[in-house]
Amino acid sequence: MQELLHGAGMVILYIIPAAGLMLTARKLLKIPDELFRKILHFILLGIYIPALFAFKTWWISALFVVALIVIIYPLLALAGRIPAFSAFINERKRGELKHSMVLALGVMAVSICVCWGGFGDRYLVLAGVYTWGVGDAFAALVGKKFGRHKISWKFADNRKSVEGSLAMFFTSALAACLILYLRGGVSIPGCLLISLLASAVCTLVELCTRNGFDTISCPTAALLVILPLIHILGG
C-alpha cells in the first residue's frame, strides 16, 4: 500500500502542475490550436516516467494505470458534454480526448505488463511508446505547416504528407536511440540500428492507421522490432 500511495502521489504531483500550467497558458497566451494539442500530447507522454520509475513493482504500476483509466474516463465523459470544454481543448470530434487518453493509458498498462513484467525492463516501455509519441507529435506539427506533398500510396491515409512522415521518422529514431542509450546494454551502433529500423516501421504503420488507432498500432509495431533486436544484439 505504501508503494502504491508513493507512486500515485508522484504521478499526481506531475499531472496537476503540468496540466494546470498548460491550461492557464492556453487561456492567457492564445497558443495555436495544433501546438496546444501536441503540448497536451507531450504532457500525457510525460506520465510514463513517474508511472514507471516511482514504483518498484511492475504489477502495482500497471494496476495504478488501470485505476487512472477508471477514474479519468467518467470525468472526461462528463466534461465532454460541455461544449465550451471541447472548444477549449480543441477536440476535432466529440470525445476525442477521452478516446485518446483511454487508448494511451491502456497501451501503457499492457506495455508495463509485457516489457517490465515479462522482460524485467521498464526502459523498453518508454522505447516503444516514445518511438511513436515523439514522432507523431512532430509529424503533425511539421505536416500541418509544411506538408506540401501528400502521400497518395494506396494504403496510406491521404491526409499524411512526405514532410510530416520524414519528421516522424527522424524524431522517432532520435527518441528511441536516446532511450536505448540511457538503458545501456547495447553499443551505440546497435542503438542506432534498432532505432532506425523501429522508426521506419513505426512511420510506415502510422501512415496506414486511421481514426486515432496509431496510439495502439505504432507502439506495438515499434516493440515488435525493438524486443527481438535487443535480444539478438545481446542487450
Side-chain angles (χ1 to χ4, degrees):
M1 179 60 73
Q2 184 176 357
E3 179 183 346
L4 178 61
L5 292 175
H6 170 76
M10 294 302 291
V11 174
I12 292 170
L13 282 175
Y14 164 77
I15 291 175
I16 293 177
L21 181 62
M22 278 316 307
L23 292 175
T24 302
R26 168 73 162 170
K27 188 171 183 64
L28 298 179
L29 302 180
K30 300 187 183 302
I31 299 172
D33 288 345
E34 191 61 32
L35 178 59
F36 178 71
R37 288 170 59 86
K38 294 312 166 187
I39 292 174
L40 288 179
H41 177 89
F42 275 110
I43 288 175
L44 176 58
L45 290 177
I47 294 176
Y48 277 74
I49 295 174
L52 285 169
F53 295 98
F55 294 93
K56 297 179 181 179
T57 310
W58 69 268
W59 63 267
I60 295 179
S61 175
L63 184 63
F64 171 74
V65 174
V66 172
L68 272 182
I69 296 173
V70 173
I71 294 169
I72 289 175
Y73 183 86
L75 292 176
L76 290 178
L78 289 173
R81 296 180 180 179
I82 305 171
F85 175 79
S86 293
F88 183 75
I89 63 174
N90 189 36
E91 286 190 310
R92 291 196 181 108
K93 59 183 179 180
R94 185 174 178 179
E96 180 187 19
L97 180 61
K98 173 182 66 178
H99 174 79
S100 297
M101 287 286 290
V102 169
L103 288 181
L105 292 174
V107 167
M108 185 192 300
V110 173
S111 297
I112 288 170
C113 294
V114 173
C115 297
W116 188 4
F119 294 92
D121 196 333
R122 62 185 106 188
Y123 275 97
L124 293 181
V125 179
L126 290 181
V129 173
Y130 279 25
T131 300
W132 157 73
V134 173
D136 180 72
F138 280 97
L141 292 172
V142 172
K144 290 281 185 182
K145 191 169 183 63
F146 304 106
R148 302 288 184 267
H149 302 87
K150 297 300 181 182
I151 295 174
S152 57
W153 181 42
K154 179 180 178 181
F155 299 103
D157 183 341
N158 57 19
R159 295 175 300 172
K160 307 294 173 63
S161 67
V162 172
E163 293 84 357
S165 293
L166 286 174
M168 178 167 186
F169 173 73
F170 286 111
T171 55
S172 291
L174 180 62
C177 190
L178 178 60
I179 292 168
L180 292 176
Y181 174 76
L182 292 174
R183 172 189 176 274
V186 178
S187 66
I188 292 178
C191 290
L192 285 171
L193 174 63
I194 295 171
S195 301
L196 289 171
L197 290 174
S199 177
V201 170
C202 199
T203 301
L204 182 63
V205 170
E206 197 270 344
L207 271 178
C208 303
T209 306
R210 293 173 170 81
N211 300 321
F213 285 100
D214 55 331
T215 306
I216 297 174
S217 62
C218 288
T220 302
L223 282 175
L224 288 175
V225 174
I226 293 170
L227 288 174
L229 288 178
I230 284 281
H231 178 73
I232 291 169
L233 294 176

